[in-house]
Amino acid sequence: MARRGVGTWLREGVWEIPLRRYLALLLAAALVTGAVFAVRVLTHDDRSCAPGVSRPAGSDECVGVATGPAAYDFGQSRLSDAVQAIARENSQLKPGSYVTVALMLPYTSTSPTSLNDIQHQLQGAYLAQYQANHDSNGQSPQIRLVLANPGATGGYWRQTVDRLERMTTSADRLRAVAGIGQSTEPNKAAVAELTRLHIPVIGSSITADDLANGQDGKDPYPGLARVAPTNTDEARALTSFAKVTAGRALLVYDKPGDPYTRTLQQSFAALIKGSPYEPQPFTPPADRSQEGTTANTFRQITNLVCDTSRETDTILFAGRHVQLRQFINALGGRGCQDRKFTVLTGDEASYLTYEKALNRDALRHNLSVRFTSLAHPDEWTKDPQPTGGSAADFATLQALLTSAERAPVGPIGSVALDDGQLIIGYDALRLAVHGIREAVPDGKTIPELADVGLQWPQVKGSSLRVNGASGWICLDAHGNPYDKAVPIVELTPEGGSRFVRIAWPEGKPPAKECLPPA
């Protein structure tokens, strides 16, 4: 038998089957690799978190407006009970019977201190929603509450506002946005855009003067109403209470500041005009929730505090809560421990009510820290006033809290009132409900969007004011509360805070008519 060459074997197909199998394996491997890659790409590109909520490109934050029927807590377990309570309440609303109010707060914040405030505001807003839907003698429309998140620092406000705008013309029938949170540049931009779009806004804890209407007679935010006094009103109430004089006060302030700290600094500076001491600046990080290096600056400022004359006993602080905590800790180690000092500051100090990093021992060394709170549970029971609010109005909220300890109203999670956030969140939603229902035309059940914001100038007088748990809410023609009760609160060495007394921007409570003067 003749021997065959290699070429003959190949030509006759001896290697044909193995070669085909090899090529098939290569093709299968390529297909599997491509499928895995495609799955990874699809998974990566799926940016959704929940209905109405997604992750922006380049971010892991879930931002937007949570509009789905299922409870969505933005990954914050401490909010779960309140969010589930809201979802239960929303699920009971009949289509066509309700309008939507969005509570806009930074739900993805990583600051435990901020999350405490957010949790409490959310609880208060829910209680106001429940009250509106069950205890209003059949008034309409019903209120659906949703959560709007512009991001931890408000950086995704535009995406969230765009979503809110679309909800005004959909079946959601969005009619107001409440909350907003701190007076920051992103929140200022968000409020400007919302009101430009004729979406009414009810600020719960914003206090900056330049995030308010009526300054210099101008209204840059048409349709904005606020529950809290401006920084100027808070400063007037605080210094009237403390009887601050220019010769005995030193100002410490955030430079360059943000809307809250700048206007607080300006208010304090005007009140102690002529002080013999140059104001002392500090420069925090752009994100004022971060520590930065300001602790070093405060250590140096405490030396200057000790260098003042012995008549100086008051320090006015215009800064955020992280920097305030650093300053208090620094004052705890000051050299002049024998001298008594009182730090006076704005409502931002309420964040320190449950702050674990605060050196409470500093408050045992001739140091007091007093601040203007937005609300306090003891203000009407321990300092009753003839007008401006009442214990009965607060008792209404207290009854709701009691019912929320169990079904069907609750549970709503761990409750705390000392920081005032639950109370102010409740009052902000009550003002939103008031404006919505007053705007309903005769013969109809749903108000037009733009008409809601037109109601704010009429929220006054003995019949149209809102009797808030924080005090009477009587708005001037620009949507700002007139002569609103300002609780003065003091941080305690044992933890928490202590109510001192009520102060008033006008130096006394409003008249029973609660009508702002010309």
Side-chain angles (χ1 to χ4, degrees), residues 475-486:
L475 303 181
D476 64 18
H478 307 284
N480 301 314
Y482 164 69
D483 202 19
K484 177 75 185 296
V486 178

Side-chain angles (χ1 to χ4, degrees), residues 271-296:
L271 291 167
I272 61 167
K273 188 176 181 180
S275 170
Y277 303 115
E278 180 183 36
Q280 295 299 312
F282 61 89
T283 302
D287 180 356
R288 287 162 174 79
S289 68
Q290 302 302 309
E291 297 292 320
T293 60
T294 40
N296 293 333

Side-chain angles (χ1 to χ4, degrees), residues 241 341-344 349 353 360 363 367-373 376 418 487-501:
F241 153 78
F341 289 98
T342 298
V343 176
L344 300 178
T353 305
R360 296 274 174 177
L363 302 174
L367 180 66
S368 298
V369 179
R370 291 180 168 179
F371 58 95
T372 53
S373 183
H376 196 277
D418 288 4
I488 306 300
V489 178
E490 183 176 61
L491 295 176
T492 63
E494 299 76 23
S497 61
R498 179 181 69 87
F499 171 74
V500 179
R501 58 163 285 189

